[in-house]
Amino acid sequence: MELKNSPDPVPFCPSWIPASGHALRHVGIHFDAVRAIGLLGEEIAYEVMQFTDFQAGPIVRSGIGERSMYFLLAPGTAAGHRWPPGVEAMSRSARGDAFVGVPALGGGTWPLDWRSRPTVQDPFVDGALLHEMAWLRAGCTVKE
């Protein structure tokens, strides 16, 4: 599996991306998130990126702990799908508050970095594509 990141497109910086470092953002306000843990997250990210010619929309990688991958979807969309084991929807409709760390587009952002950046054309990851790839990589048939 090739660990290629998305190319640097024309600069696009939504208001929820911090100017430097990283910041926690409340899920469901600017975006929903889908979290996939460990190798499964890397595999799903690669499949989504390969399918979109490495223009997948915002995917944040955490470099500590379980090394999760966070796929940022349009607000209100993550809970619309049933996700396979190891993949979790994070939205306002879920119980409790959820926050996702978002890195700046440049500079020191460890332990977070962009696996794929948002662009004007792709401000969010395509939820239907992510759903299909998550079930595919989990080794199951798609369930809705």
Side-chain angles (χ1 to χ4, degrees):
M1 174 171 60
E2 182 181 347
L3 293 179
K4 178 179 173 184
N5 289 335
S6 62
D8 289 331
V10 175
F12 173 67
C13 189
S15 64
W16 45 266
I17 295 179
S20 63
H22 49 79
L24 289 177
R25 297 294 186 234
H26 193 192
V27 174
I29 305 293
H30 301 287
F31 54 80
D32 279 3
V34 172
R35 179 177 71 159
I37 299 169
L39 182 58
L40 177 60
E42 284 287 350
E43 290 174 344
I44 294 168
Y46 179 76
E47 293 294 336
V48 170
M49 291 174 66
Q50 186 175 8
F51 192 85
T52 61
D53 197 27
F54 294 90
Q55 298 293 318
I59 304 172
V60 175
R61 176 175 36 203
S62 173
I64 59 171
E66 297 174 306
R67 299 183 188 266
S68 297
M69 200 71 66
Y70 294 88
F71 302 86
L72 307 185
L73 282 63
T77 61
H81 297 284
R82 182 168 174 251
W83 300 94
V87 180
E88 172 190 15
M90 302 169 71
S91 66
R92 281 196 97 150
S93 61
R95 290 185 288 196
D97 288 333
F99 294 86
V100 170
V102 176
L105 294 177
T109 63
W110 190 89
L112 304 174
D113 72 333
W114 290 104
R115 184 73 165 89
S116 175
R117 295 176 181 212
T119 65
V120 172
Q121 296 81 14
D122 300 296
F124 299 106
V125 173
D126 180 317
L129 174 63
L130 176 62
H131 178 253
E132 185 177 339
M133 294 300 142
W135 280 101
L136 176 73
R137 294 313 303 169
C140 308
T141 58
V142 177
K143 298 182 181 181
E144 199 48 47

